[in-house]
Amino acid sequence: MPPLSRRRLMKYAATLAAAAPFRVIAQTGAAPDPTLLAAVRDHLGYSVGFRRKFGTGIYSAPGRAIPPSLAAMTVRSITHRLAQSSDMRRTCALLHWRGSDGRLHGWLLDGTGVIASGASAGPYESLSFLLNALRVDARTATRAPIKRGSPRPPPPVFAAPTDPRAHFARARDTLLPGAIAAALAERSGRLLILPARDTGSAPYAALPLGDAMLADRWSTVILPDIETLADPQRTFDTRLDPRNALVVGNPDLSTDPAYEWSDLPGAAEEAQAFAKVFGLPPTRLLTGKAVTRERVLAGIDNYGEASIVYLATHGLANSVNPMDGSFVALANGHLYGRDLRTPRFQAWAAWHPLVILSACQTALGKTFDGGTYGVARGWISAGAGQVVASLWNVSDTATQLLMLHFAEHAFLKRQPPEEALRLAQLDTRNTFANDPAAWASFTLFGAPSAAG
């Protein structure tokens, strides 16, 4: 996977523009939607800001200095890329943007251009209303760490469960505004989502589409930046070899000086089951006291082309300082976002693995206009091709079941990871039919899988 390069994108877009005009323009004679061009221009700036943050720790975007011509060429590149991707399976893109009016704007594109668009009814703030309806924090309080020396909180009081369907309908109308939801309900395939603010952290799988849910029709990929959407070379190589995976499960966190953690027996069983599926030697399965930061980092580097890194543990997101405050928990020292910055894992310049973060809050972080910056994006910036990450404090039991179904579809039936996650969610939904917080709790972040 070549590194991100705006120069290479501009060269590709210019060549494409000369050879193949934007088909929507050719059909209608209309100029591209100026609001869409403004959104694309801003997203090009956001991606610069995220690259700077990974390199320096400081987010700094170039504002609106992006030339309008580059925005127009990028739209052409996106439609061409979607046309190429749809040769094997229908691929659409959902582009989100929070405009100067505060509303969340959305465009649904395929290989012919924009097929639906819309904007939220009012200013967009966050998806907190949906998480409150799912009672995520209250139901998973027993998994949250407790700072050492702090009084232990009383057991959570579980109120009678509410029906979240009205809140999911509200989320659908916000995230899939205008005619977008209806257009998705008429189609099926793979949906590439370019988020704005916290829209990349939505449980898209459980959004209602007519008499079904989005997961019944679409697999989803949350994209890290607009270049990943526009550049056809930005794909994930699905030729995974599970035999050289690194698998971590339920580290011993009893000596953590800062936090008290609950035990995760399901994570230990999950890791052992994965190792059995992969046929791993004992040295590549780390559990308990063996799961140290040094051994995990050394394992990733020393296994060469380690195509899968699987971490079943606790996680904690920091919405203020995601690089220094967000981590996945390991024995004798946690793995922070800053640890992914330097040095870059040696083999990842040529081989970009699948990272499975079977832990709490790994898709969360600090919110910017162009999306969320946290642990998942840190792994992508370090060289991972795709990251499976959680949207909230997940259930140990439900996560174990979901991940075993994921392993079945991804590594035994050889489905692309985004499709394997969709199928695993549907399988898990059979057990937790009335609990979307259990089966729709993970998302896939990164580049779309290569065709075939």
Side-chain angles (χ1 to χ4, degrees), residues 250-383:
N250 195 23
D252 182 351
L253 303 175
S254 60
T255 60
D256 185 342
Y259 293 100
E260 297 179 30
W261 302 88
S262 60
D263 191 37
L264 298 176
E269 296 172 3
E270 190 182 319
Q272 291 162 358
F274 259 73
K276 185 175 182 180
V277 170
F278 296 161
L280 292 183
T283 55
R284 295 191 178 182
L285 171 63
L286 304 179
T287 60
K289 295 183 181 297
V291 188
T292 65
R293 176 179 173 276
E294 291 75 18
R295 292 192 66 175
V296 169
L297 291 174
I300 293 171
D301 269 342
N302 294 342
Y303 297 161
E305 294 182 351
S307 60
I308 301 167
V309 177
Y310 181 88
L311 305 178
T313 178
H314 284 283
L316 194 63
N318 187 309
S319 61
V320 176
N321 192 343
M323 294 298 285
D324 293 332
S326 300
F327 60 85
V328 289
L330 305 177
N332 196 29
H334 304 316
L335 184 59
Y336 286 83
R338 62 174 179 263
D339 296 323
L340 305 173
R341 185 181 291 141
T342 53
R344 186 186 180 102
F345 299 118
Q346 296 300 313
W348 289 16
W351 187 268
H352 304 274
L354 171 67
V355 176
I356 304 169
L357 301 177
S358 181
C360 294
Q361 304 183 12
T362 47
L364 306 182
K366 187 173 183 176
T367 300
F368 295 87
D369 283 337
T372 300
Y373 196 99
V375 172
R377 189 182 291 271
W379 282 96
I380 293 293
S381 298

Side-chain angles (χ1 to χ4, degrees), residues 40 94 121-122 138 143 165 203 209 220 224 277 283 286 298 306 327 335 415:
V40 169
L94 174 62
R143 286 200 66 182
R165 284 180 293 183
L209 287 179
T220 57
V277 170
T283 55
L286 304 179
F327 60 85
L335 184 59
Q415 293 286 343

Side-chain angles (χ1 to χ4, degrees), residues 2 30-31 82-83 89 107-108 140 142 150 161 173 178-179 183 201 216 218 233 271 277 307 389 407 439 443:
L82 294 173
R89 184 184 182 205
W107 294 266
L108 183 66
T140 60
T142 54
S150 300
D173 295 342
S201 303
D216 292 303
W218 297 90
Q233 296 185 52
V277 170
S307 60
W439 65 265
T443 190

Side-chain angles (χ1 to χ4, degrees), residues 220-252:
T220 57
V221 180
I222 307 300
L223 304 175
D225 48 52
I226 196 167
E227 287 93 341
T228 305
L229 176 58
D231 188 346
Q233 296 185 52
R234 295 286 297 174
T235 58
F236 176 68
D237 190 338
T238 59
R239 293 173 297 177
L240 302 174
D241 184 359
R243 294 170 297 180
N244 62 11
L246 171 67
V247 177
V248 168
N250 195 23
D252 182 351

